[in-house]
Amino acid sequence: MPSTHDALVRRPFEGIPAERDLVAMRQLIPAATVAARTTAEHGSVPVTIATVLPMTWPGVRRSDGSVTIGLQANVPGGDLSRAFGQAIVQALAAEPGTPIERVDLTDGSPRLQDVLDLTGEFPLTLHETFEFWIDPESDRTPEVEAALAQANEAIVPTAAIEGLPHAFWVDAGPKEHLRWVLDADEDRVIDAVARLHARRASGVGEGTKYVGSFRAEGLTVPVWDLPSGFGAEGVEKEAADLEKRFTEALETTEPLTALERRARGGIVARQVTLR
């Protein structure tokens, strides 16, 4: 039998107010941070939850004593929450200025839900550079500057959509995309898309197209292709109407029509799971 920390947890961030943003940071967003704090039991220490850290470290104890973790790190076990909870505990025990290069996971390792103060607001900030990597009290050597510049060049332009919470516009080069992290049951999301698709109302706006969805950390992420130049601003103009249509379709409980069932079959075939 697998040990406790090897057991797969399909929705590891459930119960954290920022769950949908954390899933996006793990899978979709190149450079972002969320501000948090440990519980009083763990010292009420400021914690920055980041997308990624230098060398893809799982965590670091910064010179000021605060902790930063990088959600895109490769960590052991089947529960991301337990792995990153352990990363925070290890960082708290480390000397200031020390990176956590490896998570030493045990069955007694705490989860993020145990370590973080869940009454906080968990504000999300998207960044255009990895400048948040830099410790204000450390020297900015030429090597550091070169590594930062190289990392910055790899950032794909991304923006949070005003008026559509947990939705993100991405400029992927030849195409633009909208990715919307939802916490509704996956079958309900697929049914909703099918209902809209059957009446040709599943797009975001003119020239846009629903193309499928991701399954990521237990949540469903519908994806739309957008024409070049549509931009985050174009999505924001359609955000209220899209949310209204999608919410109404999600709340509909009537059986799917024959046309909607055919649409659903095509949609299911385009589902992808991200690990």
Side-chain angles (χ1 to χ4, degrees):
M1 292 181 63
S3 62
T4 301
H5 64 263
D6 286 332
L8 178 63
V9 176
R10 297 189 180 278
R11 192 171 170 179
F13 304 129
E14 186 174 13
I16 300 175
E19 178 188 13
R20 292 161 71 179
D21 289 336
L22 297 187
V23 170
M25 291 170 67
R26 171 76 179 178
Q27 299 288 3
L28 307 174
I29 303 174
T33 54
V34 161
R37 182 174 293 273
T38 64
T39 62
E41 178 186 355
H42 291 279
S44 297
V45 175
V47 174
T48 299
I49 303 172
T51 47
V52 67
L53 292 175
M55 309 297 292
T56 60
W57 292 326
V60 63
R61 182 76 183 271
R62 296 177 73 93
S63 296
D64 63 3
S66 66
V67 170
T68 302
I69 58 173
L71 289 184
Q72 292 179 18
N74 185 20
V75 291
D79 181 359
L80 289 173
S81 180
R82 192 175 303 280
F84 287 110
Q86 177 64 26
I88 292 175
V89 169
Q90 286 179 225
L92 290 173
E95 291 294 322
T98 303
I100 305 304
E101 299 181 8
R102 182 187 68 197
V103 172
D104 299 320
L105 200 61
T106 71
D107 288 348
S109 294
R111 307 183 75 231
L112 288 174
Q113 290 86 335
D114 303 319
V115 176
L116 297 178
D117 178 358
L118 301 183
T119 66
E121 295 184 359
F122 293 85
L124 171 71
T125 302
L126 270 64
H127 301 274
E128 296 182 354
T129 73
F130 287 110
E131 192 73 21
F132 63 84
W133 282 357
I134 303 300
D135 191 325
E137 298 183 29
S138 65
D139 294 330
R140 297 186 64 144
T141 65
E143 292 79 11
V144 169
E145 294 288 0
L148 187 62
Q150 183 178 12
N152 288 342
E153 289 178 2
I155 292 178
V156 175
T158 304
I161 299 301
E162 185 174 343
L164 199 62
H166 318 292
F168 303 91
W169 166 87
V170 180
D171 184 353
K175 289 185 178 181
E176 298 177 15
H177 302 287
L178 172 66
R179 300 167 177 171
W180 188 12
V181 184
L182 299 173
D183 59 0
D185 177 78
E186 181 181 4
D187 284 337
R188 287 182 55 224
V189 173
I190 295 173
D191 284 353
V193 175
R195 295 180 196 279
L196 295 174
H197 203 65
R199 65 175 197 257
R200 299 186 178 183
S202 61
V204 178
E206 185 176 353
T208 69
K209 180 183 179 182
Y210 171 83
V211 292
S213 65
F214 298 113
R215 302 182 192 96
E217 321 311 347
L219 302 186
T220 304
V221 187
V223 180
W224 288 264
D225 275 353
L226 312 172
S228 180
F230 199 82
E233 298 82 1
V235 178
E236 287 170 353
K237 290 177 182 177
E238 304 288 344
D241 181 59
L242 175 62
E243 185 172 38
K244 181 175 182 292
R245 278 184 283 129
F246 215 95
T247 300
E248 289 176 351
L250 274 174
E251 293 175 349
T252 301
T253 58
E254 296 174 3
L256 297 178
T257 65
L259 183 60
E260 290 167 348
R261 288 197 300 274
R262 286 196 294 273
R264 192 184 198 281
I267 290 164
V268 170
R270 297 198 294 270
Q271 294 288 102
V272 175
T273 299
L274 297 182
R275 296 293 187 200

